[in-house]
């Protein structure tokens, strides 16, 4: 009886094993017959190439285009499935040497829009005569380098003027050592040029910080009324010297999100610019108001005004509408550039309205602080 039970159990185990084994085999066959879930590696790579910010082109042994992504056409590297002779020549060199070749590409002209100014890339052999071109738009880097060169050239020129003047005045002082009146006159001029030089260096440092990688101070709630008072204090001397009265509207209790020191500098620059380009005795005014999510501080003068074609240029570094007037007032040509970058770094902007012979209004727009519920004298306050 025991042997019979053992035979039955063994036979049962064999049947179970055959059933399980068959099930596993059928499952493996179904798995092999069905494609894996999700995209394949090849599909993912193709999507990566087509979505790349760089131009990617595959060339065959004859230098003809085998494959390229849309970016290659956008950058002008490929047009009508061809590349220019310059790239083909570089491809031949890469194929002969078996080494990557860096190249500055000449983008092909496009029938629409404005093409990139500079496209640089690398050609790499892939084997079997095929080559890969990987190119990127470096127009912005080229423009920044050109701006840097212009900036250095302008700084050198601007610094040379007061330094040269001080050297000549020092020689005149030496020659006039026995004439007290001449010594006083030349000393006053040296002091004027030294002050101008110091101001130029200070503004250059401020502008480089605003444009560079240096982290701006942490933004806090700033009272606009306090900014107006401090800026008026800075511009007081130049206004009194020219007999110009700066009028202001009533306090507003408005708050902005910003850095107080930078905002005072920007507003003081606008006031000093208004004073410098106004006739003696003419009025200059400041007004402030809430405009939607922004607080606006406007500086208005009744000066010479700015022609429309020059209104954007006044925010360029070292640009002066009237060079003779700037020399007389000690202007550096950097004040409005600083205003522009202070506004931009606060997430705001500076606007200009001007008409020759009538005057100008510069409006500094800075994002309002969430807790700003003040009102402007003209009723444009509160949350709009």
């Amino acid at each position: 009886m025991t042997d019979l039970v053992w035979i039955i159990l063994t036979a049962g185990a064999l049947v179970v094993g055959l059933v399980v084994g068959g099930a596993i085999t059928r499952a493996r066959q179904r798995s092999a017959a069905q494609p894996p879930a999700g995209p394949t590696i090849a599909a993912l790579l193709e999507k990566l190439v087509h979505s790349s910010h760089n131009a990617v082109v595959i060339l065959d042994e004859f230098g003809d285009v085998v494959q390229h992504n849309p970016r290659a056409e956008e950058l002008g590297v490929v047009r009508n499935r061809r590349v220019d002779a310059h790239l083909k020549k570089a491809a031949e060199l890469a194929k002969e040497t078996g080494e990557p070749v860096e190249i500055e590409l000449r983008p092909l002209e496009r029938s629409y829009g404005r093409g990139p100014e500079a496209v640089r890339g690398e050609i790499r052999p892939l084997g079997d005569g095929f080559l890969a071109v990987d190119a990127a738009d470096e127009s912005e880097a080229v423009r920044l380098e050109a701006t840097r060169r212009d900036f250095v050239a302008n700084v050198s020129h601007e610094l040379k003027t007061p330094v040269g003047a001080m050297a000549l005045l020092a020689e005149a002082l030496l020659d006039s050592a026995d004439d007290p009146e001449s010594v006083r006159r030349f000393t006053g001029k040296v002091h004027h040029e030294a002050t101008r030089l110091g101001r130029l260096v200070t503004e250059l440092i401020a502008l480089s910080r605003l444009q560079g990688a240096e982290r701006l101070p942490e933004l806090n709630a700033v009272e606009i009324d306090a900014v107006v008072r401090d800026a008026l204090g800075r511009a007081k001397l130049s206004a009194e010297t020219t007999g110009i009265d700066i009028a202001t509207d009533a306090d507003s209790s408005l708050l902005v999100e910003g850095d107080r020191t930078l905002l005072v500098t920007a507003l003081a620059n606008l006031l000093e610019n208004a004073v410098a380009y106004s006739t003696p005795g003419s009025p200059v005014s400041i007004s402030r108001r809430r405009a939607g999510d922004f607080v606006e501080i406007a500086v208005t003068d009744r000066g010479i005004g700015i022609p429309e074609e020059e209104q954007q240029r006044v925010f360029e570094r070292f640009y002066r509408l009237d060079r003779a007037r700037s020399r007389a007032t000690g202007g550096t040509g950097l004040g409005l550039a600083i205003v522009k970058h202070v506004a931009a770094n606060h997430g705001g902007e500076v606007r200009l309205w001007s008409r020759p012979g009538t005057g100008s209004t510069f409006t500094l727009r800075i994002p309002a602080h969430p807790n700003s519920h003040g009102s402007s004298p003209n009723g444009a306050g509160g949350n709009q």
Side-chain angles (χ1 to χ4, degrees):
M1 185 66 179
T2 303
D3 291 340
L4 180 60
V5 172
W6 182 84
I7 291 171
I8 293 172
L9 290 176
T10 302
L14 286 172
V15 171
V16 172
L18 289 172
V19 172
V20 173
I24 293 174
T25 300
R26 288 192 297 273
R28 286 177 176 175
Q29 289 174 345
R30 285 196 301 271
S31 178
Q34 294 177 353
T40 63
I41 297 298
L44 289 173
L45 288 174
E46 184 178 1
K47 287 183 178 180
L48 175 64
V49 170
H50 274 255
S51 63
S52 174
H53 188 68
N54 287 5
V56 179
V57 184
I58 305 298
L59 303 177
D60 62 17
E61 57 183 328
F62 303 107
D64 295 326
V65 176
V66 176
Q67 187 61 270
H68 68 281
N69 64 353
R71 185 62 171 162
E73 292 189 4
E74 292 174 8
L75 296 184
V77 178
V78 174
R79 185 180 180 188
N80 296 329
R81 295 191 64 82
R82 67 180 179 87
V83 295
D84 64 10
H86 182 59
L87 195 151
K88 276 192 174 184
K89 188 174 181 180
E92 290 175 3
L93 178 61
K95 188 169 60 175
E96 290 174 4
T97 61
E99 298 291 334
V101 174
E102 293 185 357
I103 183 175
E104 184 169 338
L105 302 172
R106 302 188 183 106
L108 300 172
E109 293 183 1
R110 296 186 295 177
S111 58
Y112 63 93
R114 179 183 175 185
E117 297 177 12
V119 177
R120 293 172 181 161
E122 185 180 66
I123 304 175
R124 296 188 297 272
L126 297 178
D128 297 327
F130 290 91
L131 302 107
V133 181
D134 184 9
D137 182 4
E138 296 194 3
S139 302
E140 186 63 25
V142 170
R143 284 192 289 268
L144 287 174
E145 177 60 21
T147 301
R148 186 194 66 80
R149 287 197 302 268
D150 291 343
F151 182 67
V152 171
N154 286 332
V155 168
S156 301
H157 174 75
E158 295 295 331
L159 289 176
K160 184 168 62 176
T161 302
V163 170
M166 290 173 68
L168 291 174
L169 289 169
E171 291 180 6
L173 276 172
L174 290 174
D175 294 337
S176 306
D178 298 329
D179 184 353
E181 181 61 31
S182 296
V183 168
R184 281 194 295 271
R185 185 172 70 256
F186 289 132
T187 301
K189 292 182 177 180
V190 169
H191 181 265
H192 175 78
E193 293 296 337
T195 302
R196 181 184 173 192
L197 180 61
R199 182 177 179 182
L200 177 59
V201 171
T202 300
E203 292 191 349
L204 281 171
I205 293 172
L207 188 58
S208 66
R209 287 175 175 170
L210 289 168
Q211 290 183 294
E214 183 171 327
R215 189 173 181 271
L216 289 179
E218 194 164 332
L219 303 183
N220 300 299
V222 178
E223 295 181 359
I224 284 299
D225 299 333
V227 170
V228 171
R229 286 194 298 270
D230 290 352
L232 281 171
R234 289 195 190 183
K236 182 179 180 181
L237 180 60
S238 58
E240 290 178 348
T241 301
T242 53
I244 290 177
D245 180 46
I246 301 178
T248 64
D249 55 2
D251 286 352
S252 62
S253 301
L254 291 168
L255 299 176
V256 295
E257 190 82 11
D259 176 80
R260 176 169 172 167
T261 301
L262 291 178
L263 292 174
V264 170
T265 297
L267 184 56
N269 285 354
L270 289 179
L271 288 173
E272 291 180 357
N273 184 75
V275 169
Y277 286 92
S278 296
T279 56
S282 62
V284 170
S285 63
I286 302 176
S287 62
R288 65 209 104 169
R289 70 177 187 132
R290 177 74 180 263
D293 294 331
F294 290 83
V295 171
E296 296 183 345
I297 315 171
V299 176
T300 302
D301 65 63
R302 298 291 182 268
I304 62 176
I306 305 169
E308 185 176 354
E309 63 272 13
E310 297 191 59
Q311 289 183 13
Q312 291 302 316
R313 295 204 63 194
V314 297
F315 296 101
E316 296 176 7
R317 294 164 300 185
F318 300 113
Y319 182 80
R320 298 182 179 91
L321 185 64
D322 186 340
R323 290 186 174 273
R325 186 186 293 264
S326 292
R327 284 195 296 270
T329 59
T332 64
L334 295 174
L336 292 180
I338 290 175
V339 174
K340 175 184 175 182
H341 286 287
V342 168
N345 287 332
H346 280 76
E349 62 179 340
V350 57
R351 294 179 176 177
L352 168 61
W353 177 92
S354 187
R355 184 176 297 168
T358 301
S360 305
T361 297
F362 288 84
T363 303
L364 187 63
R365 286 169 48 87
I366 304 297
H369 189 274
N371 296 328
S372 179
H373 302 292
S375 61
S376 61
N378 59 11
N383 294 322
Q384 299 183 9

